[in-house]
Amino acid sequence: MSGDKVSRPKARLPRGFRDRGAAEIAAERACLDTIRKVYESYGFEPLETPAFEYTDALGKFLPDLDRPNEGVFSLQDDDSQWMSLRYDLTAPLARYVAENFQNLPKPFRRYQVGPVWRNEKPGPGRYREFTQFDADTVGSNSPSADAELLMMTCDVLDALGLSRGEYIIKVNSRKLLDGVLEAGKIDNTKRGIVLRAIDKLDRLGDHGVRELLGVGRKDESGDFTRGADLADEQIERVMAFVRPSGEARADDLQEIRWAIQESSVGQAGVESLRSIMDILEGSGYTSDRVTIDTSIIRGLDYYTGPVFEAQLTFPVTNDAGETVVFGSVAGGGRYDDLVARFTGQQVPATGISIGVSRLLSALRSRSKPALAPLVVVLSLDDPQASFRMAAELRAAGIRAETYVGNKKFGDQLKYADKRGAAVAVIEGGDEREKGQVTLKDLALGAEMSKSIENRADWIKGRAAQVSVARGALVETVRAMLHVKGS
């Protein structure tokens, strides 16, 4: 007999990924259906692109990363070409538009939902795979296209059950920041450092951002992050740009004009935001839903104009049981140069992306959409009869399964309990002779059993189990589940 030890793989989940059960999947399905209905009501149509793109087609746009393939999962094809899992849904859209430009309506309006992957260090609540739901308009440089996306995002959040005051969409423009850099004679090579510093304003506060705009900042662990090394006057100009917040609307853009008064790019950014806000105001989307906030930057490097971020404002309990303000659940902006990477021809485009996984984490304490109630038909002495009953229930719109294992009666009931079934259908020889079936209300039975102390009490409470005529099966189950007739 061989004494060699059998080598077996360890069952373990890859770091930064997660398994999801039926409840979470059901909640996501309900959320996606809601978003899809709103997007389609605006005339957007679906598009699917593959999970993989050629690495050079995705480009280098992820923040804080220096190598073209850093931040993405990549592999080499059999023809030696590098492919990467998409890190968002916008870069693949740009490739699709470039490939099919001549045959597309202009503007081209599409929505897409699917997983994206980022090869980043995972952390609590931060995964390497997550779901996004995007909508984009390609081929229009009109502020109306940006305003429409903002209105549609408000409608999505309303449709998901959020009330006024529970979310706010903040709007800014990259052209404003470019104007600040131009007016302040700040070297364009420092643009990325300045962007990332401003993007950390919520986390690091005024002082921390000033450090990153200056020589740099040492964090709590002692790690030092080199700053943009701006002069004091340049730092003041940038900080004056990011301070206006919260209540700002189109008329209040005057507050930041001094910081960009010497820049034509900055002035163009002001006028673009003014047009967007005028459209929103005229359409009834007021400052309690959409507002200007010049601290909003958005991390991705391909944005060229207006950028937006939808934030939740109500407290949420996180996985650690802590009460936090959740923050951003959607973001997007204008990216007029992305298609030009392929064609050399600028094609204006704007889009919004909802982080579905993140949004669901915030909404799960509100409601927990679930699968429809399940009915389990026990299989005793006539499997064919059991399958017929399950088929009748499904034909009536009731979710039903037939037990297909080989356990005895008591174990089958335990199985139905473990499955979370609402009703168990029982037809043995005795019931069949009488032309009846027995229906056991498992949810009611479980509730009653909490207060039943002896067999006598259980017998008195037999309302949780009834016998009915076989022909009344569907009608009675529907009543037990409170399901309306078709």
Side-chain angles (χ1 to χ4, degrees):
M1 183 175 179
S2 173
D4 293 342
K5 185 177 180 180
V6 177
S7 177
R8 301 185 187 279
K10 183 178 179 181
R12 66 193 193 278
L13 189 67
R15 207 164 54 94
F17 294 85
R18 61 196 178 120
D19 297 318
R20 301 191 304 150
E24 186 173 352
I25 293 170
E28 180 180 271
R29 183 187 301 167
C31 180
L32 295 180
D33 285 345
T34 299
I35 299 171
R36 184 179 290 107
K37 288 176 182 176
V38 175
Y39 282 3
E40 290 184 352
S41 74
Y42 273 75
F44 287 79
E45 296 183 348
L47 173 72
E48 288 188 2
T49 57
F52 275 96
E53 297 280 345
Y54 285 116
T55 302
D56 61 350
L58 285 176
K60 191 271 174 219
F61 293 108
L62 287 171
D64 296 320
L65 304 172
D66 299 322
R67 292 183 285 111
N69 63 342
E70 188 175 1
V72 295
F73 292 97
S74 302
L75 57 84
Q76 200 167 19
D77 201 358
D78 55 6
D79 59 357
S80 299
Q81 295 198 58
W82 281 96
M83 302 189 301
S84 299
L85 284 172
R86 62 193 182 203
Y87 59 78
D88 72 0
L89 300 175
T90 307
L93 171 64
R95 187 269 307 157
Y96 175 84
V97 170
E99 250 187 320
N100 300 279
F101 188 76
Q102 297 302 323
N103 300 319
L104 296 176
K106 316 295 188 305
F108 173 59
R109 297 151 65 83
R110 83 87 173 88
Y111 71 78
Q112 182 172 356
V113 58
V116 298
W117 297 266
R118 297 192 182 177
N119 189 4
E120 300 171 335
K121 183 178 180 181
R126 185 181 181 89
Y127 299 102
R128 289 170 164 172
E129 178 184 15
F130 49 95
T131 302
Q132 290 186 333
F133 205 145
D134 288 18
D136 294 77
T137 298
V138 182
S140 172
N141 58 13
S142 169
S144 297
D146 303 288
E148 181 184 47
L149 290 176
L150 294 169
M151 290 187 281
M152 189 166 68
T153 305
C154 288
D155 290 354
V156 164
L157 296 175
D158 289 344
L160 288 171
L162 296 179
S163 304
R164 301 289 178 91
E166 292 187 320
Y167 68 86
I168 188 74
I169 303 179
K170 298 181 177 181
V171 187
N172 190 19
S173 175
R174 284 287 182 87
K175 288 185 177 180
L176 296 188
L177 180 61
D178 289 340
V180 171
L181 298 180
E182 182 181 35
K185 296 179 172 57
I186 299 172
D187 192 328
N188 198 49
T189 60
K190 298 179 179 180
R191 183 176 187 270
I193 302 175
V194 174
L195 278 172
R196 290 190 288 273
I198 297 173
D199 209 25
K200 293 180 172 67
L201 183 63
D202 284 346
R203 183 162 58 87
L204 300 181
D206 186 278
H207 180 69
V209 172
R210 285 179 177 276
E211 288 182 317
L212 291 175
L213 293 175
V215 296
R217 177 180 180 273
K218 182 182 291 187
D219 64 21
E220 294 79 4
S221 68
D223 291 340
F224 182 78
T225 302
R226 183 175 178 81
D229 205 20
L230 303 184
D232 289 344
E233 188 276 333
Q234 292 174 321
I235 293 175
E236 288 304 319
R237 186 179 288 267
V238 172
M239 294 308 297
F241 165 74
V242 301
R243 279 186 197 127
S245 176
E247 297 301 319
R249 292 294 286 177
D251 291 343
D252 298 321
L253 286 170
Q254 297 295 340
E255 295 181 16
I256 59 173
R257 277 188 181 275
W258 81 267
I260 57 173
Q261 58 187 342
E262 303 159 31
S263 167
S264 59
V265 173
Q267 295 295 333
V270 169
E271 294 309 315
S272 174
L273 284 186
R274 183 187 298 278
S275 297
I276 291 170
M277 303 312 268
D278 285 347
I279 294 170
L280 290 168
E281 288 277 9
S283 302
Y285 293 81
T286 50
S287 58
D288 60 337
R289 303 168 84 183
V290 186
T291 188
I292 290 173
D293 187 330
T294 53
S295 68
I296 298 300
I297 294 298
R298 302 297 300 161
L300 289 168
D301 222 17
Y302 51 58
Y303 292 122
T304 59
V307 289
F308 6 96
E309 191 167 288
Q311 299 179 357
L312 303 185
T313 58
F314 58 88
V316 173
T317 302
N318 64 16
D319 293 336
E322 303 165 329
T323 301
V324 297
V325 175
F326 207 76
S328 175
V329 293
R334 181 161 285 280
Y335 52 97
D336 289 346
D337 296 331
L338 201 53
V339 177
R341 293 182 57 245
F342 300 95
T343 64
Q345 175 186 357
Q346 188 183 71
V347 178
T350 184
I352 188 78
S353 177
I354 296 176
V356 176
S357 305
R358 185 170 173 79
L359 179 58
L360 279 174
S361 295
L363 296 179
R364 66 186 175 190
S365 60
R366 298 295 194 83
S367 61
K368 297 183 179 180
L371 295 172
L374 175 66
V375 175
V376 173
V377 181
L378 273 55
S379 183
L380 300 178
D381 55 5
D382 188 345
Q384 293 181 8
S386 300
F387 278 111
R388 283 196 297 270
M389 286 188 287
E392 287 176 28
L393 292 167
R394 288 193 293 270
I398 296 169
R399 185 167 164 252
E401 69 166 271
T402 302
Y403 179 77
V404 295
N406 52 13
K407 299 291 186 180
K408 296 180 179 179
F409 173 75
D411 293 323
Q412 291 190 38
L413 281 178
K414 290 178 182 177
Y415 166 83
D417 271 327
K418 199 165 187 177
R419 289 281 283 126
V423 176
V425 179
I426 305 164
E427 186 193 52
D430 292 342
E431 284 88 1
R432 193 173 299 109
E433 281 185 15
K434 298 176 183 177
Q436 294 181 335
V437 290
T438 297
L439 305 177
K440 189 173 180 64
D441 189 331
L442 297 175
L444 178 60
E447 189 63 32
M448 289 171 55
S449 67
K450 296 176 184 177
S451 58
I452 290 174
E453 297 181 359
N454 56 52
R455 176 171 167 74
D457 289 339
W458 172 252
I459 293 173
K460 291 179 183 178
R462 291 296 292 275
Q465 180 172 307
V466 296
S467 293
V468 300
R470 171 65 177 80
L473 168 66
V474 171
E475 177 186 350
T476 308
V477 170
R478 181 180 280 130
M480 294 171 75
L481 299 178
H482 307 289
V483 175
K484 293 181 179 180
S486 55

